Amino acid sequence: MATPALKAKELGNKAYKAKQFDQAIKHYNEAIALDPSDITFYNNKGAVHFEKGEYDAVVEVCLKAVDVGRDHDSDYKHIAKSLSRVGKAYMKKEDLDKAIYYYDKAITEHRDPNILKERSDVLKLIKEKEKLAYIDPKKSQEEKAKGNEQFKAGRYAEAIEFYNEAIKRNPSDHVPYSNRAACYTKLMEFGLAMSDCDKCIELNPNFIKGYLRKAALLKIDKPAEARTVYEKALEIDPNNAEAKQGLSHCQASLRNLKPEDRAKLAMSDPEIQQILQDPSMQVILEQMQKDPAAAQEHLKNEAVRVKFMKLVESGIVQVR
């Protein structure tokens, strides 16, 4: 048979589920008055204060719960819950150091998976806060300038260190990624160079140097992909000499390939893949194959004509 304290707790639980928080606190206070030795009454009351956004009250009640739990040999899982709720309250108060402190204490009581996840979330917030606090665009420019000096002197590994620091100081600046890509290219770290080119383009899609460096990495082994990148560069600056020369080089390389080799190489080009996977283009290509008159009609559409010519140039589509 339930004791009066447990009956009061049950009434508190019902009120809590109904979001009648003031009523729930009243019942939990009654339960505590009837039996001050039960840690769960304090924990439940702390949960109500948390829902109400009363985080100082959460800390006070749950630390009291810890004391009660230790005095009466309560289950360590209940003590861990009390401590983790204190940690969660401090997280809401944006006092992340205290949050981690109490999560660590909770884990020493019981390595509950939920508590471990909450602690991990706080650590991520701390790292993000430290990262944001470290941002300083002025210092980023200074580090980038030092990197440029090392690059001009042919000290590419040293230049990378300065560009790394520039990126940490201002992660949204696209230029250090482009400069670091140039260093990686000189050191023949082509995978890292490509990643930096992609990041540079992501941060600033109108920065032509990002495309030029990416295309230069691709044009030896993947001329079809390089051609696409050079074309994007020319959309930004139609008169760019490097992009024009690079595009011409790629087109010549592709022309010198056997048709079957050119088609095979083109299949690795993301733009070609996208065209071939387009359901409307699939229908159009099928119609063009069966009916030459339909081909002429479809080619009046500029978007279709551009895609079709891309397939012809790549060797995917043979025109006789």
Side-chain angles (χ1 to χ4, degrees), residues 20 51 66 91 98 104 109 119 131 227 266 285:
Q20 298 170 350
E51 289 297 322
V66 173
M91 183 184 72
K98 281 190 177 179
D104 285 343
E109 298 291 338
R119 180 183 180 277
K131 184 178 176 182
R227 178 186 60 191
L285 289 171

Side-chain angles (χ1 to χ4, degrees), residues 246-264:
L247 178 61
S248 177
H249 178 275
C250 292
Q251 290 171 335
S253 296
L254 291 168
R255 279 195 299 271
N256 291 333
L257 291 172
K258 294 179 181 178
E260 59 270 22
D261 291 335
R262 188 163 73 247
K264 184 178 179 181

Side-chain angles (χ1 to χ4, degrees), residues 88-306:
K88 187 181 287 188
Y90 275 119
M91 183 184 72
K92 288 291 187 179
K93 285 162 63 68
E94 297 186 359
D95 190 337
L96 302 182
D97 290 335
K98 281 190 177 179
I100 282 293
Y101 173 79
Y102 283 102
Y103 275 121
D104 285 343
K105 288 176 73 71
I107 290 168
T108 62
E109 298 291 338
H110 175 52
R111 293 182 67 82
D112 180 275
N114 292 326
I115 296 175
L116 289 169
K117 182 183 182 304
E118 289 174 9
R119 180 183 180 277
S120 176
D121 291 340
V122 175
L123 284 175
K124 289 178 183 176
L125 289 173
I126 289 174
K127 288 180 180 178
E128 186 61 28
K129 188 177 179 180
E130 290 173 347
K131 184 178 176 182
L132 291 173
Y134 198 68
I135 290 175
D136 186 330
K138 183 179 178 181
K139 288 184 178 179
S140 176
Q141 291 295 321
E142 292 171 358
E143 294 299 316
K144 182 174 67 178
K146 293 175 184 176
N148 292 347
E149 290 175 7
Q150 295 297 319
F151 182 86
K152 290 174 184 175
R155 294 190 285 269
Y156 306 120
E158 291 82 353
I160 286 171
E161 293 303 316
F162 287 112
Y163 292 139
N164 288 345
E165 184 65 15
I167 288 168
K168 289 177 185 176
R169 288 291 186 179
N170 190 5
S172 63
D173 186 0
H174 59 284
V175 177
Y177 287 99
S178 174
N179 293 2
R180 193 171 67 177
C183 292
Y184 282 135
T185 301
K186 292 288 187 181
L187 295 172
M188 302 185 72
E189 294 283 358
F190 301 125
L192 294 173
M194 183 64 71
S195 295
D196 272 357
C197 288
D198 287 337
K199 186 63 178 180
C200 173
I201 292 168
E202 176 191 330
L203 290 171
N204 187 349
N206 294 316
F207 186 64
I208 193 169
K209 195 170 286 187
Y211 294 96
L212 295 176
R213 287 193 165 135
K214 179 174 181 177
L217 290 167
L218 291 168
K219 70 179 181 181
I220 302 301
D221 297 323
K222 299 179 179 179
E225 289 185 44
R227 178 186 60 191
T228 300
V229 179
Y230 278 126
E231 287 171 346
K232 289 180 179 177
L234 287 169
E235 289 176 10
I236 298 169
D237 180 4
N239 298 314
N240 185 276
E242 185 178 344
K244 284 183 176 180
Q245 185 178 357
L247 178 61
S248 177
H249 178 275
C250 292
Q251 290 171 335
S253 296
L254 291 168
R255 279 195 299 271
N256 291 333
L257 291 172
K258 294 179 181 178
E260 59 270 22
D261 291 335
R262 188 163 73 247
K264 184 178 179 181
L265 188 63
M267 288 301 293
S268 64
D269 185 338
E271 188 176 5
I272 296 295
Q273 292 174 8
Q274 189 175 9
I275 294 171
L276 292 174
Q277 290 168 6
D278 183 345
S280 61
M281 278 301 295
Q282 291 175 359
V283 172
I284 289 169
L285 289 171
E286 186 176 350
Q287 290 176 352
M288 292 172 76
Q289 188 175 17
K290 294 178 180 178
D291 183 1
Q296 295 301 318
E297 190 64 30
H298 283 305
L299 290 175
K300 291 178 181 178
N301 183 309
E302 179 63 16
V304 171
R305 189 186 69 79
V306 170

